[in-house]
């Protein structure tokens, strides 16, 4: 990830402590689950768009070869 190169270990630790203080230990797993679901949906959508674009490109090249 590009953003991780910008932040050092100290900054990440400080952010983690702030998140822990704000949300508490019980709420963090729920937040991470939601974040994971969001990332999975995003990846699925990106793959769907890629597959659709490849299918359209293959259909166009096949119709030009006829």
């Amino acid at each position: 990830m590009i953003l991780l190169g910008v932040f050092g270990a100290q900054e990440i630790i400080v952010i983690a402590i702030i998140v822990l203080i704000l949300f508490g230990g019980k709420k963090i797993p729920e937040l991470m689950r939601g974040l994971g679901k969001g990332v999975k949906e995003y990846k699925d959508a990106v793959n769907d768009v890629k597959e659709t674009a490849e299918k359209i490109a293959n259909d166009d090249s096949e119709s030009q070869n006829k």
Side-chain angles (χ1 to χ4, degrees), residues 12-26:
I12 293 174
I13 291 170
V14 169
I15 292 170
I17 290 171
I18 291 171
V19 168
L20 184 61
I21 291 170
L22 289 176
F23 295 107
K26 293 182 181 180

Side-chain angles (χ1 to χ4, degrees), residues 26-62:
K26 293 182 181 180
K27 205 68 160 159
I28 291 176
E30 285 181 36
L31 293 171
M32 293 301 113
R33 249 189 309 277
L35 182 64
K37 286 180 184 179
V39 169
K40 183 182 183 307
E41 288 179 17
Y42 175 77
K43 285 183 179 181
D44 290 344
V46 168
N47 287 335
D48 187 38
V49 169
K50 281 183 185 178
E51 289 173 4
T52 303
E54 289 173 358
K55 182 179 178 185
I56 291 171
N58 288 338
D59 289 346
D60 287 345
S61 65
E62 287 177 7

